[in-house]
Amino acid sequence: MINTTLKKLSEVSGLSISTISRALKNHPDISEKTKLLVTELASTLDYEPNINAVHLRTKNSRLFGVIVPSISNFFYDSVIASLEEEGRKNNYSLMILQSGDDPEIEAANIKLCRQNRVNGLFACITPETKDIEPFLKLKEVDVSVIFFDRVPERSDCHKVCVADIDSASMAANLIVEKQKKKVLALFGNSNFLITKKRFNAFTEIMNQHSIAYITAYSSSEIHAEELTNECLTLKPDTIFCMTDEILTGVMRAIQKKQLKIPDDIAVIAISNGFIPTLYYPQITYIETSGKKLGKLAFQSMMATLSGSTFIQDRTIESILVKGGSI
Amino acid sequence: MINTTLKKLSEVSGLSISTISRALKNHPDISEKTKLLVTELASTLDYEPNINAVHLRTKNSRLFGVIVPSISNFFYDSVIASLEEEGRKNNYSLMILQSGDDPEIEAANIKLCRQNRVNGLFACITPETKDIEPFLKLKEVDVSVIFFDRVPERSDCHKVCVADIDSASMAANLIVEKQKKKVLALFGNSNFLITKKRFNAFTEIMNQHSIAYITAYSSSEIHAEELTNECLTLKPDTIFCMTDEILTGVMRAIQKKQLKIPDDIAVIAISNGFIPTLYYPQITYIETSGKKLGKLAFQSMMATLSGSTFIQDRTIESILVKGGSI
DNA sequence: AACATTATCGCAAACGTTTGCAGTTGATAA
DNA sequence: TTATCAACTGCAAACGTTTGCGATAATGTT
């Protein structure tokens, strides 16, 4: 059997298609009697509007695209959840796309957004994205792009990020406060602007207080674990982890070596908040909330959609969540 | 500016809309010269077909809906990733919907699937879903439904599940093998068929070998932690965790009490594979692979889509992954 | 030269909606 | 009776595609 359409409702009821259409959307031209008749008929026949036809006709998809590296990620998970929640409130749907950090898939995703005539796009770019022209070209067809988390360096686009400098400073200052002497600091992908900023902020404070430190970059759990194993020979008293992935790798190494936290070694991380709570004592971390980011990104989107030409460049401030790891 | 359409390409090139359309899809009626001209024009004007119009006209969305409780979940994450991978290969898109285990949102999601004219639906029902008629009604409009993981009890629908009885038996048998004497067994939501089956399989083996056991149900980390704290006073030598959520709760309690694994207490879990690797020693677990489930579910979908009337009822077999926790 | 064949291409309808405008009622007022 | 008005409802075009069919021009065949 085929789907119920306005035409079918029209045939069954004897009313015209336009009357049916108007009755279903509570148009004042239609009498209450007719409305009741039509809505009842529609529900018994399980009528659902064909959204393709609606969007084609109205030229409004009420759809946002969102491109993330992967949905299997504590941080992007919560960003998506938050975007969806806001979207639901405002009657927008989400088309979730994963880039896998592959620029080619990213390009294909942008194409999908165009084909689907999204009203807006939330984008988190890959480490290898050199050319953001395809994103900016979307503006020509009236779709606004909000970059989030991993954003291009140029200033003529909307951005929403978690605190870069502040979060690293907070971690560094806590290390200072706890009078630590030798720090192993592990940072994420060095291609990202956020990594550079955090690196600079962190090391600056270390330098100011003449705290010895070793730094390294790592983008995977396994690599972080290996790095930790190597560097533990240098006897650091503290390890700083810029991401959840790094933290899990570091913790594997620490646990394997049976080191006691925080006595043998202290740990502090920047995290979305789940992983640190799995250990005992729980890991002290600087929270970078995906939920807050999603909410703010949505606000920016709504602002540009309602005509604001102002370039949005916002930051989520971090908070310190104390565990017992330092 | 507005999007480029076939009409616009037609006006610019002087060719008819139909010729443009056929040229772009490499129709044999069109000469190579014309094709080249059209494709070049299309790419300079950034033409992307309006997918709404295409779907409306062709009556084929090449879209699958997938309803999960939440995408922030190790298991459903990997199911989705797998479905997407298969979908990409077969040129299908995914509409990802979260129910939040709320039957009302689930109903709204089904409605969305109808509106979007999905070709098929992968559904994981909520614990409170009593009436699956809305799902089955989709068959009337030619969309096939594959239930996965949490499935209805009735037999007239397609299902793909992880091993229920086997995975519990494997865990139980390992406990027997290790000559454990007193087991705390924590199971998930008691509404689910899979929980009942695992419960029965597990307890049967315990009974056969006269092993003492305490059982309880838990659906959250916090509750699992509380339960563990209470039951630890009974001095079990082993804890069995049916889900990752339970495992994290149990581990919190164990770590807080500073118990040594596996000497003070042994732990064994049924898991998707990530959480058990975070601890040291790593937790021994029965793997229930979301990736495999996704792949199999997709196969079932393709089978029914290509006309098979055979009721698919498949199971992913489990494998034992040894850690050092028992 | 007359005809058949092939290679190209265009016309127009259809998919299911929405919506400006015009048409049809019935009642009321003059 | 006729004009006026309000309350309803329908007509038809448009959104951007796809596709069966028919038209035209070019080529080959006898």
Side-chain angles (χ1 to χ4, degrees):
Chain A
M1 205 182 81
I2 209 63
N3 275 292
T4 306
T5 67
L6 290 186
K7 189 174 171 188
K8 183 158 189 177
L9 294 180
S10 158
E11 285 165 359
V12 176
S13 67
L15 294 164
S16 80
I17 291 180
S18 33
T19 300
I20 304 280
S21 173
R22 279 189 262 251
L24 287 173
K25 37 179 47 59
N26 212 15
H27 192 283
D29 269 8
I30 309 297
S31 69
E32 289 305 322
K33 212 180 69 183
T34 308
K35 279 178 191 168
L36 198 69
L37 191 149
V38 171
T39 48
E40 279 189 356
L41 183 64
S43 89
T44 65
L45 263 55
D46 289 319
Y47 170 76
E48 289 296 341
N50 184 323
I51 228 166
N52 290 304
V54 175
H55 290 168
L56 178 59
R57 170 62 221 232
T58 63
K59 296 184 156 215
N60 190 355
S61 61
R62 293 200 83 81
L63 179 68
F64 290 140
V66 36
I67 303 183
V68 291
S70 162
I71 58 171
S72 302
N73 176 297
F74 306 117
F75 184 66
Y76 298 118
D77 261 4
S78 53
V79 174
I80 291 174
S82 172
L83 287 176
E84 215 194 29
E85 191 182 329
E86 296 300 313
R88 195 188 299 276
K89 285 183 202 162
N90 293 272
N91 205 22
Y92 276 91
S93 294
L94 242 50
M95 183 169 72
I96 301 162
L97 301 166
Q98 303 184 74
S99 71
D101 276 342
D102 179 340
E104 281 189 34
I105 300 184
E106 186 177 64
N109 286 341
I110 297 174
K111 186 177 276 202
L112 266 174
C113 286
R114 294 189 76 120
Q115 293 182 347
N116 282 84
R117 301 298 190 264
V118 297
N119 293 145
L121 170 60
F122 299 97
C124 174
I125 64 178
T126 82
E128 276 81 32
T129 304
K130 300 298 175 209
D131 178 24
I132 62 161
E133 269 310 312
F135 286 105
L136 301 183
K137 267 198 172 182
L138 287 171
K139 272 184 196 158
E140 293 173 10
V141 286
D142 269 340
V143 1
S144 25
V145 180
I146 311 285
F147 292 99
F148 70 93
D149 191 44
R150 292 170 359 192
V151 304
E153 301 204 8
R154 52 193 289 180
S155 62
D156 60 343
C157 43
H158 306 296
K159 304 174 191 170
V160 182
C161 297
V162 293
D164 38 40
I165 294 176
D166 277 2
S167 57
S169 307
M170 285 173 76
N173 284 327
L174 192 65
I175 290 170
V176 170
E177 192 182 308
K178 297 283 183 180
Q179 306 191 338
K180 297 299 177 185
K181 303 296 175 206
K182 191 166 188 183
V183 178
L184 168 59
L186 300 178
F187 295 87
N189 191 309
S190 57
N191 277 348
F192 298 136
L193 184 57
I194 192 169
T195 304
K196 297 173 196 164
K197 287 191 179 176
R198 283 176 171 173
F199 181 93
N200 291 335
F202 189 90
T203 53
E204 190 184 328
I205 294 180
M206 292 295 104
N207 290 335
Q208 278 173 9
H209 295 82
S210 307
I211 298 177
Y213 60 86
I214 318 136
T215 62
Y217 296 97
S218 172
S219 312
S220 75
E221 293 176 25
I222 295 181
H223 184 225
E225 182 177 352
E226 291 167 357
L227 270 176
T228 308
N229 278 328
E230 292 170 19
C231 297
L232 277 178
T233 59
L234 303 172
K235 304 280 178 195
D237 57 14
T238 307
I239 303 184
F240 163 74
C241 311
M242 199 189 100
T243 69
D244 276 315
E245 283 74 23
I246 292 173
L247 175 61
T248 57
V250 166
M251 288 303 291
R252 287 216 179 104
I254 289 180
Q255 291 181 120
K256 206 167 282 176
K257 284 225 164 36
Q258 311 258 25
L259 297 178
K260 283 274 176 232
I261 295 175
D263 297 335
D264 296 340
I265 193 149
V267 175
I268 182 168
I270 296 179
S271 161
N272 193 34
F274 176 67
I275 296 283
T277 65
L278 293 179
Y279 303 103
Y280 186 83
Q282 296 196 358
I283 308 300
T284 296
Y285 65 97
I286 316 294
E287 188 205 52
T288 58
S289 161
K291 274 205 134 35
K292 288 183 194 163
L293 188 147
K295 192 159 182 178
L296 207 55
F298 200 91
Q299 283 174 9
S300 292
M301 178 66 84
M302 292 320 252
T304 68
L305 245 47
S306 61
S308 158
T309 58
F310 187 69
I311 293 291
Q312 317 266 345
D313 190 347
R314 313 222 213 164
T315 302
I316 314 292
E317 79 285 11
S318 301
I319 58 172
L320 170 67
V321 180
K322 291 193 181 178
S325 67
I326 184 168
Chain B
M1 205 181 81
I2 208 63
N3 275 291
T4 306
T5 66
L6 289 185
K7 188 174 171 188
K8 182 158 189 177
L9 294 180
S10 158
E11 284 165 359
V12 176
S13 67
L15 293 163
S16 78
I17 291 179
S18 35
T19 301
I20 305 280
S21 173
R22 280 188 262 251
L24 287 174
K25 35 181 46 61
N26 212 15
H27 192 284
D29 269 10
I30 309 298
S31 70
E32 289 305 322
K33 212 181 67 183
T34 307
K35 280 179 191 168
L36 198 69
L37 191 148
V38 171
T39 50
E40 279 188 357
L41 182 65
S43 89
T44 66
L45 262 55
D46 290 318
Y47 171 76
E48 289 295 342
N50 184 322
I51 230 167
N52 290 305
V54 174
H55 289 169
L56 179 59
R57 171 62 221 232
T58 62
K59 296 180 157 218
N60 189 354
S61 60
R62 293 201 81 82
L63 178 68
F64 289 140
V66 36
I67 303 182
V68 292
S70 162
I71 59 171
S72 303
N73 175 295
F74 305 118
F75 184 67
Y76 298 119
D77 261 4
S78 53
V79 174
I80 291 173
S82 174
L83 286 176
E84 213 194 31
E85 190 181 331
E86 297 299 313
R88 193 187 301 275
K89 284 184 201 160
N90 292 272
N91 205 23
Y92 276 91
S93 294
L94 241 50
M95 184 169 70
I96 301 163
L97 301 166
Q98 304 183 73
S99 71
D101 275 342
D102 178 340
E104 281 188 35
I105 300 184
E106 186 177 63
N109 286 340
I110 296 174
K111 186 177 275 202
L112 266 175
C113 286
R114 293 189 78 121
Q115 292 183 346
N116 282 84
R117 302 299 189 262
V118 298
N119 292 147
L121 170 60
F122 299 97
C124 174
I125 64 177
T126 81
E128 276 81 33
T129 304
K130 299 299 174 208
D131 177 23
I132 63 161
E133 269 310 312
F135 286 106
L136 300 183
K137 268 198 171 180
L138 287 171
K139 270 183 196 158
E140 294 173 9
V141 286
D142 269 340
V143 1
S144 25
V145 180
I146 311 285
F147 292 99
F148 69 94
D149 192 43
R150 293 172 356 193
V151 304
E153 300 203 9
R154 51 193 287 179
S155 62
D156 60 343
C157 44
H158 305 296
K159 304 174 191 170
V160 182
C161 296
V162 293
D164 37 41
I165 294 175
D166 278 2
S167 56
S169 307
M170 286 173 78
N173 284 326
L174 192 64
I175 290 170
V176 170
E177 194 182 304
K178 296 285 182 177
Q179 307 190 335
K180 297 299 176 184
K181 304 295 175 206
K182 190 165 186 183
V183 178
L184 169 60
L186 300 179
F187 295 86
N189 192 309
S190 57
N191 277 348
F192 298 137
L193 185 55
I194 191 169
T195 303
K196 296 173 196 165
K197 285 191 179 176
R198 283 176 170 170
F199 181 93
N200 291 336
F202 189 90
T203 52
E204 189 183 328
I205 294 179
M206 292 296 104
N207 289 336
Q208 277 172 10
H209 295 81
S210 307
I211 298 177
Y213 61 85
I214 318 136
T215 64
Y217 296 98
S218 172
S219 311
S220 76
E221 293 176 27
I222 295 181
H223 184 224
E225 183 177 351
E226 291 166 358
L227 270 176
T228 309
N229 279 328
E230 291 169 21
C231 297
L232 276 178
T233 58
L234 303 172
K235 303 280 177 194
D237 58 14
T238 306
I239 304 184
F240 163 75
C241 311
M242 200 190 99
T243 70
D244 276 316
E245 283 74 23
I246 292 174
L247 175 61
T248 56
V250 165
M251 288 303 291
R252 286 216 180 105
I254 289 179
Q255 291 180 119
K256 206 167 282 179
K257 285 225 164 33
Q258 311 259 24
L259 298 178
K260 283 275 176 228
I261 295 175
D263 298 333
D264 296 340
I265 192 150
V267 176
I268 181 166
I270 297 180
S271 163
N272 194 33
F274 176 66
I275 296 282
T277 66
L278 293 179
Y279 303 103
Y280 186 84
Q282 295 196 357
I283 309 300
T284 296
Y285 65 98
I286 316 295
E287 187 205 52
T288 58
S289 162
K291 273 206 133 35
K292 288 184 194 163
L293 187 148
K295 193 160 184 177
L296 207 54
F298 200 91
Q299 283 174 11
S300 292
M301 179 65 82
M302 293 319 253
T304 68
L305 244 47
S306 61
S308 159
T309 57
F310 188 69
I311 293 291
Q312 316 264 345
D313 190 347
R314 313 222 214 164
T315 302
I316 315 291
E317 80 284 12
S318 300
I319 57 172
L320 171 67
V321 180
K322 292 193 181 178
S325 68
I326 184 166

